[in-house]
Amino acid sequence: MTWNTILAWIPVGLAWLVFRGDRVSHSPFWWAGMALFILFLPNAPYVVTDIVHLRGDVLAANDGGPVMTAILPVYAVFIGSGFLAYYLALRAALDHLTRLGLEAWRFPATVAAHGLCAIGVFLGRWARLNSWEPVIDPHGTLERIFIHLTWTWAPVLILATFLVTWVGHFMTRAVAEASFEVTRKGARILRANLTS
């Protein structure tokens, strides 16, 4: 879980580096960063698939460990952390579109990100593909992608992952933006009290 959490937050760091300023850079480093951002972004919502380990952890805990006070809260924090990372990374990309004057593309970009992440999560969970494999083994990666995407159940699993990603992002965005608004109002009230 710790490793997957680290991987989930890498896109946030990449977004902070790539989506700065108010124009598209023509630097090859910027485009390399953009490619890495796209490759690593599915790691954030991927954490939800680790719920497959929950049953085993609960069964092991029934031998004497607290399920309600330890295991379930850890999974909730873990999954929440992944979706928070996804929200922050995607928000940075969408805010960059707005700064470029492309605000109309925010919704299509969000849907595209959810779709790409659904495919990435599917390939990560079922093909056991890692984000760096397209760079270090492009031929083998393409072969594995083709084999798994042509599997009969692939569209169903990708659609289910898309829906989970959409709902998780929607809920995280609602909570995060409400929290930001409460914090901003609190800061304004505090400043007003200090200056009066």
Short mmCIF file of all heavy atoms in Angstrom, two decimals, residues 5-66:
data_model
loop_
_atom_site.label_atom_id
_atom_site.label_comp_id
_atom_site.label_asym_id
_atom_site.label_seq_id
_atom_site.Cartn_x
_atom_site.Cartn_y
_atom_site.Cartn_z
N THR A 5 0.77 4.18 -2.82
CA THR A 5 0.47 5.57 -2.44
C THR A 5 1.53 6.51 -3.00
O THR A 5 1.21 7.60 -3.50
CB THR A 5 0.40 5.70 -0.90
OG1 THR A 5 -0.62 4.82 -0.42
CG2 THR A 5 0.09 7.12 -0.49
N ILE A 6 2.78 6.11 -2.93
CA ILE A 6 3.86 6.93 -3.52
C ILE A 6 3.63 7.10 -5.01
O ILE A 6 3.71 8.22 -5.55
CB ILE A 6 5.24 6.29 -3.24
CG1 ILE A 6 5.56 6.36 -1.75
CG2 ILE A 6 6.34 6.97 -4.06
CD1 ILE A 6 6.74 5.52 -1.32
N LEU A 7 3.32 5.99 -5.70
CA LEU A 7 3.05 6.07 -7.14
C LEU A 7 1.84 6.95 -7.44
O LEU A 7 1.81 7.65 -8.45
CB LEU A 7 2.83 4.67 -7.72
CG LEU A 7 4.05 3.76 -7.80
CD1 LEU A 7 3.65 2.36 -8.27
CD2 LEU A 7 5.10 4.35 -8.73
N ALA A 8 0.84 6.92 -6.55
CA ALA A 8 -0.37 7.73 -6.76
C ALA A 8 -0.07 9.22 -6.70
O ALA A 8 -0.73 10.01 -7.38
CB ALA A 8 -1.42 7.36 -5.71
N TRP A 9 0.93 9.61 -5.91
CA TRP A 9 1.23 11.04 -5.75
C TRP A 9 2.28 11.55 -6.74
O TRP A 9 2.49 12.76 -6.84
CB TRP A 9 1.64 11.33 -4.30
CG TRP A 9 0.42 11.38 -3.44
CD1 TRP A 9 -0.22 10.33 -2.84
CD2 TRP A 9 -0.36 12.53 -3.14
NE1 TRP A 9 -1.33 10.76 -2.17
CE2 TRP A 9 -1.44 12.11 -2.33
CE3 TRP A 9 -0.25 13.89 -3.45
CZ2 TRP A 9 -2.41 12.99 -1.85
CZ3 TRP A 9 -1.20 14.76 -2.96
CH2 TRP A 9 -2.27 14.32 -2.18
N ILE A 10 2.92 10.67 -7.49
CA ILE A 10 3.87 11.12 -8.51
C ILE A 10 3.21 12.03 -9.54
O ILE A 10 3.79 13.06 -9.91
CB ILE A 10 4.59 9.91 -9.17
CG1 ILE A 10 5.58 9.31 -8.18
CG2 ILE A 10 5.28 10.32 -10.47
CD1 ILE A 10 6.27 8.05 -8.67
N PRO A 11 1.98 11.73 -10.03
CA PRO A 11 1.36 12.64 -11.00
C PRO A 11 1.12 14.05 -10.44
O PRO A 11 1.14 15.02 -11.20
CB PRO A 11 0.02 11.97 -11.33
CG PRO A 11 0.16 10.56 -10.93
CD PRO A 11 1.17 10.52 -9.83
N VAL A 12 0.93 14.17 -9.14
CA VAL A 12 0.75 15.51 -8.54
C VAL A 12 2.04 16.30 -8.68
O VAL A 12 2.03 17.47 -9.08
CB VAL A 12 0.32 15.40 -7.06
CG1 VAL A 12 0.17 16.78 -6.44
CG2 VAL A 12 -0.98 14.61 -6.93
N GLY A 13 3.17 15.67 -8.37
CA GLY A 13 4.46 16.34 -8.53
C GLY A 13 4.74 16.69 -9.98
O GLY A 13 5.21 17.80 -10.29
N LEU A 14 4.41 15.75 -10.89
CA LEU A 14 4.62 16.02 -12.31
C LEU A 14 3.72 17.16 -12.78
O LEU A 14 4.15 18.01 -13.56
CB LEU A 14 4.35 14.75 -13.13
CG LEU A 14 5.39 13.64 -12.99
CD1 LEU A 14 4.89 12.35 -13.62
CD2 LEU A 14 6.72 14.06 -13.62
N ALA A 15 2.47 17.18 -12.31
CA ALA A 15 1.54 18.25 -12.69
C ALA A 15 2.07 19.61 -12.22
O ALA A 15 1.98 20.60 -12.94
CB ALA A 15 0.16 17.98 -12.11
N TRP A 16 2.64 19.64 -11.01
CA TRP A 16 3.18 20.87 -10.48
C TRP A 16 4.33 21.38 -11.36
O TRP A 16 4.48 22.59 -11.57
CB TRP A 16 3.66 20.65 -9.05
CG TRP A 16 4.15 21.89 -8.39
CD1 TRP A 16 3.40 22.89 -7.85
CD2 TRP A 16 5.52 22.28 -8.23
NE1 TRP A 16 4.21 23.88 -7.35
CE2 TRP A 16 5.52 23.54 -7.57
CE3 TRP A 16 6.74 21.71 -8.57
CZ2 TRP A 16 6.69 24.21 -7.26
CZ3 TRP A 16 7.90 22.39 -8.25
CH2 TRP A 16 7.88 23.62 -7.60
N LEU A 17 5.11 20.45 -11.92
CA LEU A 17 6.24 20.85 -12.77
C LEU A 17 5.79 21.21 -14.19
O LEU A 17 6.31 22.15 -14.79
CB LEU A 17 7.25 19.70 -12.86
CG LEU A 17 8.03 19.40 -11.58
CD1 LEU A 17 8.83 18.11 -11.75
CD2 LEU A 17 8.94 20.56 -11.22
N VAL A 18 4.82 20.45 -14.72
CA VAL A 18 4.45 20.59 -16.13
C VAL A 18 3.45 21.72 -16.37
O VAL A 18 3.57 22.47 -17.34
CB VAL A 18 3.88 19.25 -16.67
CG1 VAL A 18 3.29 19.41 -18.06
CG2 VAL A 18 4.96 18.19 -16.68
N PHE A 19 2.46 21.85 -15.50
CA PHE A 19 1.35 22.77 -15.76
C PHE A 19 1.52 24.10 -15.04
O PHE A 19 0.66 24.55 -14.32
CB PHE A 19 0.02 22.11 -15.39
CG PHE A 19 -0.22 20.85 -16.15
CD1 PHE A 19 -0.34 19.64 -15.48
CD2 PHE A 19 -0.30 20.85 -17.52
CE1 PHE A 19 -0.56 18.46 -16.17
CE2 PHE A 19 -0.52 19.68 -18.23
CZ PHE A 19 -0.64 18.48 -17.55
N ARG A 20 2.67 24.71 -15.26
CA ARG A 20 2.95 26.04 -14.72
C ARG A 20 2.92 27.04 -15.87
O ARG A 20 3.15 26.70 -17.00
CB ARG A 20 4.32 26.04 -14.05
CG ARG A 20 4.38 25.09 -12.87
CD ARG A 20 5.78 24.79 -12.47
NE ARG A 20 6.47 25.98 -11.96
CZ ARG A 20 7.57 25.93 -11.25
NH1 ARG A 20 8.12 24.78 -10.97
NH2 ARG A 20 8.14 27.03 -10.84
N GLY A 21 2.65 28.25 -15.54
CA GLY A 21 2.66 29.28 -16.57
C GLY A 21 1.36 29.35 -17.32
O GLY A 21 0.40 28.64 -17.04
N ASP A 22 1.34 30.21 -18.35
CA ASP A 22 0.11 30.43 -19.10
C ASP A 22 0.29 30.19 -20.60
O ASP A 22 -0.42 30.75 -21.41
CB ASP A 22 -0.41 31.85 -18.84
CG ASP A 22 0.63 32.91 -19.17
OD1 ASP A 22 1.74 32.54 -19.60
OD2 ASP A 22 0.32 34.10 -19.00
N ARG A 23 1.25 29.35 -20.95
CA ARG A 23 1.40 28.97 -22.36
C ARG A 23 2.00 27.58 -22.45
O ARG A 23 2.59 27.07 -21.49
CB ARG A 23 2.24 29.98 -23.11
CG ARG A 23 3.64 30.14 -22.62
CD ARG A 23 4.42 31.11 -23.51
NE ARG A 23 5.81 31.11 -23.13
CZ ARG A 23 6.39 32.12 -22.50
NH1 ARG A 23 5.70 33.19 -22.19
NH2 ARG A 23 7.66 32.04 -22.19
N VAL A 24 1.86 26.99 -23.62
CA VAL A 24 2.41 25.65 -23.87
C VAL A 24 3.88 25.82 -24.21
O VAL A 24 4.23 26.62 -25.08
CB VAL A 24 1.68 24.93 -25.03
CG1 VAL A 24 2.35 23.61 -25.34
CG2 VAL A 24 0.23 24.71 -24.67
N SER A 25 4.70 25.07 -23.54
CA SER A 25 6.14 25.13 -23.83
C SER A 25 6.45 24.24 -25.03
O SER A 25 5.82 23.21 -25.24
CB SER A 25 6.91 24.64 -22.61
OG SER A 25 8.28 24.53 -22.92
N HIS A 26 7.41 24.66 -25.81
CA HIS A 26 7.87 23.84 -26.94
C HIS A 26 9.13 23.06 -26.60
O HIS A 26 9.72 22.43 -27.45
CB HIS A 26 8.09 24.73 -28.17
CG HIS A 26 6.83 25.40 -28.63
ND1 HIS A 26 5.78 24.70 -29.17
CD2 HIS A 26 6.45 26.70 -28.60
CE1 HIS A 26 4.81 25.55 -29.47
NE2 HIS A 26 5.20 26.77 -29.13
N SER A 27 9.51 23.12 -25.35
CA SER A 27 10.70 22.43 -24.89
C SER A 27 10.48 20.92 -24.91
O SER A 27 9.42 20.43 -24.51
CB SER A 27 11.03 22.88 -23.47
OG SER A 27 11.88 21.95 -22.84
N PRO A 28 11.48 20.15 -25.36
CA PRO A 28 11.35 18.69 -25.31
C PRO A 28 11.22 18.17 -23.88
O PRO A 28 10.59 17.14 -23.64
CB PRO A 28 12.64 18.18 -25.96
CG PRO A 28 13.56 19.33 -26.06
CD PRO A 28 12.74 20.58 -25.97
N PHE A 29 11.76 18.92 -22.91
CA PHE A 29 11.62 18.52 -21.50
C PHE A 29 10.16 18.64 -21.05
O PHE A 29 9.67 17.81 -20.30
CB PHE A 29 12.53 19.36 -20.60
CG PHE A 29 13.99 19.14 -20.87
CD1 PHE A 29 14.76 20.12 -21.48
CD2 PHE A 29 14.59 17.93 -20.52
CE1 PHE A 29 16.10 19.90 -21.73
CE2 PHE A 29 15.93 17.71 -20.76
CZ PHE A 29 16.69 18.69 -21.37
N TRP A 30 9.48 19.70 -21.53
CA TRP A 30 8.07 19.87 -21.18
C TRP A 30 7.25 18.71 -21.74
O TRP A 30 6.42 18.13 -21.05
CB TRP A 30 7.53 21.20 -21.71
CG TRP A 30 6.15 21.50 -21.22
CD1 TRP A 30 5.82 22.16 -20.08
CD2 TRP A 30 4.91 21.11 -21.83
NE1 TRP A 30 4.45 22.23 -19.94
CE2 TRP A 30 3.86 21.59 -21.01
CE3 TRP A 30 4.58 20.41 -22.99
CZ2 TRP A 30 2.52 21.40 -21.30
CZ3 TRP A 30 3.23 20.22 -23.29
CH2 TRP A 30 2.22 20.70 -22.45
N TRP A 31 7.50 18.36 -23.00
CA TRP A 31 6.74 17.27 -23.63
C TRP A 31 7.07 15.93 -22.99
O TRP A 31 6.20 15.07 -22.85
CB TRP A 31 6.98 17.25 -25.14
CG TRP A 31 6.25 18.40 -25.79
CD1 TRP A 31 6.80 19.56 -26.24
CD2 TRP A 31 4.84 18.50 -26.01
NE1 TRP A 31 5.82 20.38 -26.74
CE2 TRP A 31 4.60 19.76 -26.61
CE3 TRP A 31 3.75 17.67 -25.76
CZ2 TRP A 31 3.33 20.19 -26.96
CZ3 TRP A 31 2.47 18.10 -26.11
CH2 TRP A 31 2.28 19.35 -26.70
N ALA A 32 8.31 15.75 -22.57
CA ALA A 32 8.68 14.52 -21.85
C ALA A 32 7.94 14.47 -20.51
O ALA A 32 7.43 13.41 -20.12
CB ALA A 32 10.18 14.46 -21.64
N GLY A 33 7.86 15.61 -19.83
CA GLY A 33 7.12 15.68 -18.58
C GLY A 33 5.64 15.40 -18.78
O GLY A 33 5.01 14.71 -17.98
N MET A 34 5.09 15.92 -19.88
CA MET A 34 3.68 15.67 -20.21
C MET A 34 3.44 14.18 -20.45
O MET A 34 2.45 13.61 -19.98
CB MET A 34 3.30 16.49 -21.45
CG MET A 34 1.87 16.34 -21.86
SD MET A 34 0.76 17.05 -20.64
CE MET A 34 -0.78 16.91 -21.52
N ALA A 35 4.35 13.53 -21.18
CA ALA A 35 4.22 12.09 -21.44
C ALA A 35 4.29 11.30 -20.14
O ALA A 35 3.51 10.36 -19.93
CB ALA A 35 5.31 11.63 -22.41
N LEU A 36 5.22 11.68 -19.26
CA LEU A 36 5.32 11.01 -17.96
C LEU A 36 4.06 11.22 -17.13
O LEU A 36 3.58 10.31 -16.44
CB LEU A 36 6.54 11.50 -17.19
CG LEU A 36 7.89 10.97 -17.67
CD1 LEU A 36 9.02 11.65 -16.91
CD2 LEU A 36 7.97 9.47 -17.52
N PHE A 37 3.51 12.44 -17.18
CA PHE A 37 2.28 12.72 -16.46
C PHE A 37 1.16 11.79 -16.93
O PHE A 37 0.45 11.20 -16.12
CB PHE A 37 1.87 14.19 -16.67
CG PHE A 37 0.53 14.53 -16.08
CD1 PHE A 37 0.40 14.74 -14.72
CD2 PHE A 37 -0.59 14.64 -16.89
CE1 PHE A 37 -0.83 15.06 -14.16
CE2 PHE A 37 -1.83 14.95 -16.35
CZ PHE A 37 -1.96 15.16 -14.97
N ILE A 38 1.01 11.64 -18.23
CA ILE A 38 -0.03 10.77 -18.79
C ILE A 38 0.21 9.31 -18.40
O ILE A 38 -0.73 8.59 -18.04
CB ILE A 38 -0.11 10.93 -20.32
CG1 ILE A 38 -0.64 12.33 -20.66
CG2 ILE A 38 -0.98 9.85 -20.96
CD1 ILE A 38 -0.49 12.71 -22.12
N LEU A 39 1.46 8.87 -18.42
CA LEU A 39 1.78 7.49 -18.05
C LEU A 39 1.52 7.21 -16.57
O LEU A 39 1.07 6.11 -16.21
CB LEU A 39 3.24 7.16 -18.39
CG LEU A 39 3.57 6.92 -19.85
CD1 LEU A 39 5.08 6.77 -20.03
CD2 LEU A 39 2.85 5.70 -20.38
N PHE A 40 1.81 8.19 -15.72
CA PHE A 40 1.70 7.96 -14.28
C PHE A 40 0.33 8.31 -13.70
O PHE A 40 0.01 7.88 -12.60
CB PHE A 40 2.79 8.73 -13.53
CG PHE A 40 4.09 7.99 -13.46
CD1 PHE A 40 5.03 8.12 -14.48
CD2 PHE A 40 4.38 7.15 -12.41
CE1 PHE A 40 6.23 7.43 -14.43
CE2 PHE A 40 5.58 6.45 -12.35
CZ PHE A 40 6.51 6.60 -13.37
N LEU A 41 -0.48 9.09 -14.43
CA LEU A 41 -1.78 9.51 -13.89
C LEU A 41 -2.66 8.33 -13.45
O LEU A 41 -3.30 8.41 -12.39
CB LEU A 41 -2.51 10.40 -14.89
CG LEU A 41 -3.82 11.03 -14.40
CD1 LEU A 41 -3.57 11.92 -13.18
CD2 LEU A 41 -4.49 11.82 -15.51
N PRO A 42 -2.74 7.22 -14.19
CA PRO A 42 -3.59 6.11 -13.73
C PRO A 42 -3.19 5.52 -12.38
O PRO A 42 -4.00 4.82 -11.75
CB PRO A 42 -3.45 5.07 -14.85
CG PRO A 42 -3.08 5.85 -16.06
CD PRO A 42 -2.22 6.97 -15.54
N ASN A 43 -1.97 5.78 -11.92
CA ASN A 43 -1.55 5.26 -10.61
C ASN A 43 -2.40 5.82 -9.48
O ASN A 43 -2.55 5.18 -8.43
CB ASN A 43 -0.08 5.57 -10.35
CG ASN A 43 0.83 4.72 -11.17
OD1 ASN A 43 0.69 3.51 -11.22
ND2 ASN A 43 1.78 5.35 -11.85
N ALA A 44 -2.94 7.04 -9.66
CA ALA A 44 -3.72 7.65 -8.59
C ALA A 44 -5.04 6.91 -8.36
O ALA A 44 -5.29 6.43 -7.25
CB ALA A 44 -3.93 9.13 -8.87
N PRO A 45 -5.90 6.75 -9.38
CA PRO A 45 -7.13 6.00 -9.12
C PRO A 45 -6.90 4.49 -9.01
O PRO A 45 -7.78 3.76 -8.54
CB PRO A 45 -8.03 6.34 -10.31
CG PRO A 45 -7.11 6.73 -11.40
CD PRO A 45 -5.91 7.36 -10.72
N TYR A 46 -5.73 4.02 -9.40
CA TYR A 46 -5.42 2.58 -9.34
C TYR A 46 -5.57 2.03 -7.92
O TYR A 46 -5.91 0.87 -7.72
CB TYR A 46 -4.00 2.33 -9.85
CG TYR A 46 -3.56 0.88 -9.74
CD1 TYR A 46 -3.85 -0.01 -10.77
CD2 TYR A 46 -2.86 0.42 -8.64
CE1 TYR A 46 -3.46 -1.34 -10.68
CE2 TYR A 46 -2.47 -0.90 -8.54
CZ TYR A 46 -2.76 -1.78 -9.57
OH TYR A 46 -2.38 -3.09 -9.48
N VAL A 47 -5.33 2.89 -6.92
CA VAL A 47 -5.34 2.41 -5.54
C VAL A 47 -6.65 1.73 -5.17
O VAL A 47 -6.67 0.86 -4.31
CB VAL A 47 -5.02 3.54 -4.54
CG1 VAL A 47 -3.62 4.08 -4.75
CG2 VAL A 47 -6.05 4.65 -4.60
N VAL A 48 -7.74 2.13 -5.83
CA VAL A 48 -9.03 1.52 -5.49
C VAL A 48 -9.05 0.03 -5.80
O VAL A 48 -9.77 -0.73 -5.16
CB VAL A 48 -10.20 2.27 -6.19
CG1 VAL A 48 -10.32 1.87 -7.65
CG2 VAL A 48 -11.52 2.03 -5.47
N THR A 49 -8.22 -0.41 -6.74
CA THR A 49 -8.22 -1.84 -7.09
C THR A 49 -7.55 -2.69 -6.02
O THR A 49 -7.72 -3.91 -6.01
CB THR A 49 -7.50 -2.10 -8.44
OG1 THR A 49 -6.12 -1.83 -8.30
CG2 THR A 49 -8.11 -1.27 -9.56
N ASP A 50 -6.81 -2.06 -5.12
CA ASP A 50 -6.19 -2.82 -4.04
C ASP A 50 -7.21 -3.31 -3.03
O ASP A 50 -6.87 -4.04 -2.10
CB ASP A 50 -5.09 -2.01 -3.36
CG ASP A 50 -3.80 -2.05 -4.14
OD1 ASP A 50 -3.61 -3.00 -4.93
OD2 ASP A 50 -2.97 -1.15 -3.98
N ILE A 51 -8.46 -2.95 -3.24
CA ILE A 51 -9.53 -3.46 -2.39
C ILE A 51 -9.67 -4.98 -2.54
O ILE A 51 -10.27 -5.64 -1.69
CB ILE A 51 -10.86 -2.73 -2.69
CG1 ILE A 51 -11.75 -2.74 -1.46
CG2 ILE A 51 -11.56 -3.30 -3.90
CD1 ILE A 51 -12.82 -1.67 -1.46
N VAL A 52 -9.06 -5.53 -3.62
CA VAL A 52 -9.09 -6.99 -3.79
C VAL A 52 -8.37 -7.69 -2.63
O VAL A 52 -8.63 -8.87 -2.37
CB VAL A 52 -8.46 -7.44 -5.14
CG1 VAL A 52 -9.22 -6.86 -6.32
CG2 VAL A 52 -6.99 -7.08 -5.22
N HIS A 53 -7.50 -6.97 -1.93
CA HIS A 53 -6.78 -7.56 -0.80
C HIS A 53 -7.57 -7.46 0.51
O HIS A 53 -7.16 -8.04 1.52
CB HIS A 53 -5.42 -6.87 -0.62
CG HIS A 53 -4.57 -6.91 -1.85
ND1 HIS A 53 -4.13 -8.09 -2.42
CD2 HIS A 53 -4.09 -5.90 -2.62
CE1 HIS A 53 -3.42 -7.80 -3.49
NE2 HIS A 53 -3.37 -6.49 -3.64
N LEU A 54 -8.67 -6.72 0.49
CA LEU A 54 -9.42 -6.47 1.72
C LEU A 54 -9.95 -7.75 2.34
O LEU A 54 -9.83 -7.95 3.56
CB LEU A 54 -10.59 -5.51 1.44
CG LEU A 54 -11.48 -5.17 2.62
CD1 LEU A 54 -10.69 -4.49 3.73
CD2 LEU A 54 -12.64 -4.29 2.18
N ARG A 55 -10.50 -8.64 1.54
CA ARG A 55 -11.07 -9.88 2.08
C ARG A 55 -10.01 -10.67 2.85
O ARG A 55 -10.25 -11.15 3.96
CB ARG A 55 -11.66 -10.73 0.96
CG ARG A 55 -12.35 -11.98 1.46
CD ARG A 55 -13.06 -12.72 0.29
NE ARG A 55 -13.76 -13.87 0.76
CZ ARG A 55 -13.22 -15.08 0.94
NH1 ARG A 55 -11.93 -15.26 0.67
NH2 ARG A 55 -13.93 -16.09 1.37
N GLY A 56 -8.83 -10.81 2.25
CA GLY A 56 -7.76 -11.55 2.92
C GLY A 56 -7.33 -10.88 4.21
O GLY A 56 -7.09 -11.56 5.22
N ASP A 57 -7.27 -9.54 4.21
CA ASP A 57 -6.90 -8.82 5.42
C ASP A 57 -7.96 -8.96 6.51
O ASP A 57 -7.63 -9.09 7.69
CB ASP A 57 -6.66 -7.34 5.11
CG ASP A 57 -5.37 -7.12 4.32
OD1 ASP A 57 -4.53 -8.04 4.27
OD2 ASP A 57 -5.22 -6.02 3.75
N VAL A 58 -9.22 -8.95 6.10
CA VAL A 58 -10.31 -9.11 7.08
C VAL A 58 -10.28 -10.51 7.66
O VAL A 58 -10.41 -10.70 8.88
CB VAL A 58 -11.68 -8.81 6.43
CG1 VAL A 58 -12.82 -9.27 7.33
CG2 VAL A 58 -11.80 -7.32 6.13
N LEU A 59 -10.08 -11.53 6.81
CA LEU A 59 -10.01 -12.91 7.31
C LEU A 59 -8.83 -13.09 8.27
O LEU A 59 -8.95 -13.76 9.29
CB LEU A 59 -9.92 -13.90 6.16
CG LEU A 59 -11.19 -14.04 5.30
CD1 LEU A 59 -10.93 -14.94 4.11
CD2 LEU A 59 -12.35 -14.56 6.13
N ALA A 60 -7.70 -12.49 7.93
CA ALA A 60 -6.53 -12.59 8.81
C ALA A 60 -6.78 -11.85 10.13
O ALA A 60 -6.36 -12.31 11.18
CB ALA A 60 -5.31 -12.02 8.11
N ALA A 61 -7.50 -10.73 10.05
CA ALA A 61 -7.77 -9.95 11.26
C ALA A 61 -8.77 -10.65 12.17
O ALA A 61 -8.76 -10.44 13.37
CB ALA A 61 -8.29 -8.58 10.89
N ASN A 62 -9.63 -11.47 11.61
CA ASN A 62 -10.62 -12.17 12.43
C ASN A 62 -9.95 -13.14 13.39
O ASN A 62 -10.58 -13.61 14.33
CB ASN A 62 -11.64 -12.90 11.55
CG ASN A 62 -12.68 -11.95 11.00
OD1 ASN A 62 -12.89 -10.88 11.54
ND2 ASN A 62 -13.32 -12.34 9.92
N ASP A 63 -8.69 -13.41 13.16
CA ASP A 63 -7.94 -14.26 14.09
C ASP A 63 -7.46 -13.47 15.30
O ASP A 63 -6.65 -13.95 16.07
CB ASP A 63 -6.74 -14.90 13.38
CG ASP A 63 -7.17 -15.90 12.30
OD1 ASP A 63 -8.30 -16.41 12.40
OD2 ASP A 63 -6.38 -16.14 11.38
N GLY A 64 -7.94 -12.25 15.42
CA GLY A 64 -7.56 -11.48 16.60
C GLY A 64 -7.34 -10.01 16.36
O GLY A 64 -7.09 -9.26 17.29
N GLY A 65 -7.44 -9.55 15.11
CA GLY A 65 -7.20 -8.15 14.81
C GLY A 65 -8.50 -7.37 14.67
O GLY A 65 -9.53 -7.92 14.35
N PRO A 66 -8.46 -6.05 14.91
CA PRO A 66 -9.65 -5.21 14.82
C PRO A 66 -9.94 -4.77 13.39
O PRO A 66 -9.17 -4.00 12.82
CB PRO A 66 -9.31 -4.02 15.71
CG PRO A 66 -7.82 -3.96 15.67
CD PRO A 66 -7.32 -5.35 15.45
#
